[in-house]
Every structure is written in C-alpha cells, then in structure tokens.
Amino acid sequence: MSEESTAVTHPFLDLPPLSAAHFASVEDRVARLLGTEQDVVIMQGEALLPLEGAIRGTAGPGTTALNVITGPYGQTFGNWLRDCGATVIDLAVPFHTAVSAGQIREAFAEHPEIDFVSLVHAEAATGNTNPVAEIGEAVREQGALFYLDAVASIGAEPVLPDAWGVDLCVIGAQKAMGGPAGVSAVSVSERAWARMAANPRAPRRSYLSLLDWKERWIDGGRKALPHAPAQLEMLALEACVERIEAVGLNTVMARHASAAAAARAGAVALGAGLEPYVHEAREAAPVATTLRTPSGVVASELVGRALASDPTLPLAAGGGALAKEMIRVNHYGADARVEVVEACLAALGAALEDIRRR
C-alpha cells in the first residue's frame, strides 16, 4: 500500500491557497454588512489587533483625545492613547448606564482642543450600549476623528459607520456574528488614512500597521496579499457572513433583542433578588445581560454553582471587583435564544436556593 493511499485527510488541513481575489471578496461582504463605502481591512488576528493598530496609527503627542469609559475596554484604550503620547481626557460614567451625546458636547465645550474620540459601542463585560448615532452627530460638529469599538455590537444591533460619521470602526466575528475569534476587521475613512499618513509615530513594517495594508494591499488594487492569509479563519468568517446574509441581518438582530428582553424580564420574574445591572432597558446591550446579585451573595460563587449543574451555560461573573456583584448572561451568536436565557435563569435560581439553604 502506497504512502499516498494511507495518508490521513482532514477538512481543516491541506486546503488550497486562499487567493487575493477570495480575500478581497470577503472584505467586500464585510463592507456590505457594515453598509460602508469606506475601505475595509481584514486583519489576521483577534480584534485587539485592529483596535490597537487604529489608535497607534492615528494618535500621537499632538492628539487630544476624549476617551469614553463605560467598561474595561474604554480603560484599555485610554492606556494605549497615553502610551502614544496623546493628551487624554477620560469621560467615565457608571457601568450601570450609558454615556449621552449631551455629555460628549459638554466635554467639547470644556476642551475645544479635542480632536479624537474613542468609544465602545456595546460593552459585553458590563452589559451597556451607547447611543452612537447621537454621539456621532456631536463628534461631527466638533470635527474630531471618531474611533468605535463595535466588536460586541455587530450582528446584535445596527452598526452604521458611514451614517454615524465613524472614521475607524473595528469589528470582530466571535460574538453576535457567531464566527471565528482569530480574524477581525476595521473600516477606515479617508480622514483616518490622512491622519495616519501625517503621523510620524504610526507603526510601519509592523503587524500593527494599517498603513502597510493600505500601501501594500489597497493601493495596489488588492492584487497581492502582504502575507500568507489565515485560511481557516478567513473561510470561517466568510461562512458566518454567508449565514447572516441567508437569514437576514435584521432577523439576527431581532433574535438578540428578544434574548435580551427575556433575560431582563425573566430575572425580575424569578423573584430571587436578581435584578438588571443596567437600570434602563434602552441602555442595555442586546449581546449580553448583566445582573446584580442579592445582598450577601457573591456573584462568582453563584455562577460557579449554576455552572456545576450545566457547564455549557453562557454564564460568567463580572471581572475584577465586579466578580462580587455582577453576573453576565452572554446571549450572543448561537446562544441568542430565549430557551438559552431561560436555562441560565433556572440554573441561577436553583443555585440561589441552594446557597440560601446553607
């Protein structure tokens, strides 16, 4: 028997090379998903890659940035901006709420030198979502560059960079889109490209460099990729976009909205002392619902007991200090279903009863 006849095949291995044309076609489909005419660059890594690359490409010692903090990612962006030498004005709001366009305008009035605004659309970690359309209008009035993290929100709620005046819009597929984590994308406006080109500190010849992608990929007509593409991740991204296209983006978003509504209503109906962490439903993210535990109940302990009954439930305690008081029900992607939410709440209710009996 020949070596060739005994070779073990696997659908993940021995794939034909992914062509530049195929790669470009996936970028085009992502652009349609975003409804954008801007350049879309798919980057070969988790969304932190374009999130950091976009900041380091556009920010420097001459930048004055308004960094909105509604959760942990806003804090991370502020750290990156300071590391770039930017002057950073943090606008922090309680994690149980959202920032308002009025607060953005107040910050501009106090600091008219602001020329960069960084914002997270939906904070899956804290369960809030920010009104980007209204905020975008305020940012346009000032003429500042607008950077948006839409990693958690894409697929769960509208993300419209062109209509909202977003200059840098970063998305990832691993949450509401139900796709892979190892590939991500960013839409880039002409203003953002110009800011990068004028920034002497923008990364060059670097994995973080968006300018490298522009010069070696976009400006060349997307004929030759700058490096070997991650085939499995690209094929998975293409498959998840195809699935959204087949079902309809509005249908996918409606499923997330239904799951979020069920989580908030179900927690209250449970009557076990759990309550929505984000006070106003209109400020609650459809991608994940956060719940506050009853007094004296540690969230991480409660989640641990609930997961002991079913480790597959999409439950997590809050990060850091929030692990004492916050529970997160992650109803995104394949878990954006009312029955999944009901199973999570039932497990939490049983775990609460168990804790109180002890």
Side-chain angles (χ1 to χ4, degrees):
M1 186 176 293
S2 68
E3 180 179 345
E4 182 177 352
S5 64
T6 59
V8 176
T9 61
H10 193 284
F12 293 166
L13 302 175
D14 305 316
L15 296 170
L18 191 75
S19 68
H22 193 169
F23 193 104
S25 73
V26 180
E27 283 185 336
D28 291 340
R29 295 176 90 157
V30 172
R32 287 195 294 272
L33 185 69
L34 290 169
T36 184
E37 298 295 323
Q38 298 177 4
D39 291 325
V40 169
V41 178
I42 293 178
M43 300 189 77
Q44 305 289 278
E46 199 270 339
L48 283 171
L49 174 62
L51 285 168
E52 182 173 358
I55 281 180
R56 295 196 181 277
T58 51
T63 303
T64 300
L66 176 63
N67 180 53
V68 181
I69 301 175
T70 57
Y73 280 100
Q75 294 168 332
T76 297
F77 301 158
N79 292 337
W80 286 339
L81 286 161
R82 289 183 177 89
D83 190 53
C84 290
T87 299
V88 181
I89 299 157
D90 286 326
L91 172 56
V93 302
F95 290 172
H96 64 255
T97 187
V99 72
S100 70
Q103 290 172 298
I104 300 294
R105 287 191 173 92
E106 288 172 7
F108 282 141
E110 188 173 349
H111 300 279
E113 68 275 19
I114 291 169
D115 61 359
F116 184 100
V117 175
S118 52
L119 176 71
V120 179
H121 187 183
E123 284 271 13
T126 49
N128 53 39
T129 192
N130 293 300
V132 182
E134 292 88 347
I135 291 169
E137 183 177 347
V139 175
R140 282 197 301 274
E141 292 169 2
Q142 181 73 8
L145 205 72
F146 192 10
Y147 162 101
L148 183 70
D149 172 355
V151 175
S153 54
I154 182 67
E157 55 187 308
V159 177
L160 302 168
D162 290 12
W164 297 342
V166 178
D167 295 288
L168 295 156
C169 182
V170 178
I171 67 168
Q174 70 266 34
K175 287 189 167 63
M177 288 178 66
V183 65
S184 49
V186 55
S187 64
V188 187
S189 73
E190 288 300 323
R191 292 198 324 146
W193 284 131
R195 180 79 70 96
M196 287 184 221
N199 181 8
R201 292 196 175 192
R204 304 304 302 268
R205 294 166 295 283
S206 164
Y207 208 57
L208 285 170
S209 177
L210 282 166
L211 281 175
D212 287 358
W213 276 97
K214 176 170 171 50
E215 294 179 1
R216 298 176 60 189
W217 171 242
I218 295 172
D219 291 350
R222 299 192 299 176
K223 303 295 185 183
L225 285 158
H227 55 70
Q231 296 185 64
L232 287 175
E233 286 80 3
M234 287 298 296
L235 293 173
L237 176 61
E238 182 179 44
C240 92
V241 174
E242 284 179 348
R243 184 167 60 185
I244 292 171
E245 291 172 345
V247 174
L249 179 58
N250 287 338
T251 299
V252 176
M253 292 191 294
R255 190 168 68 238
H256 283 81
S258 294
R264 289 180 68 86
V268 174
L270 190 61
L274 291 172
E275 59 184 32
Y277 194 90
V278 177
H279 297 176
E280 300 291 335
R282 61 184 172 80
E283 296 177 344
V287 72
T289 296
T290 47
L291 303 173
R292 189 183 299 276
T293 54
S295 177
V297 176
V298 177
S300 56
E301 179 185 349
L302 180 60
V303 168
R305 289 180 181 275
L307 290 176
S309 66
D310 184 355
T312 68
L313 293 174
L315 289 170
L322 294 175
K324 295 181 179 180
E325 63 179 16
M326 178 192 285
I327 293 169
R328 194 170 71 241
V329 182
N330 293 317
H331 41 68
Y332 54 73
D335 290 325
R337 293 178 288 130
V338 171
E339 55 267 33
V340 172
V341 169
E342 290 173 343
C344 289
L345 293 175
L348 289 171
L352 270 171
E353 289 184 10
D354 185 48
I355 288 174
R356 286 166 173 162
R357 281 198 302 266
R358 295 167 184 261

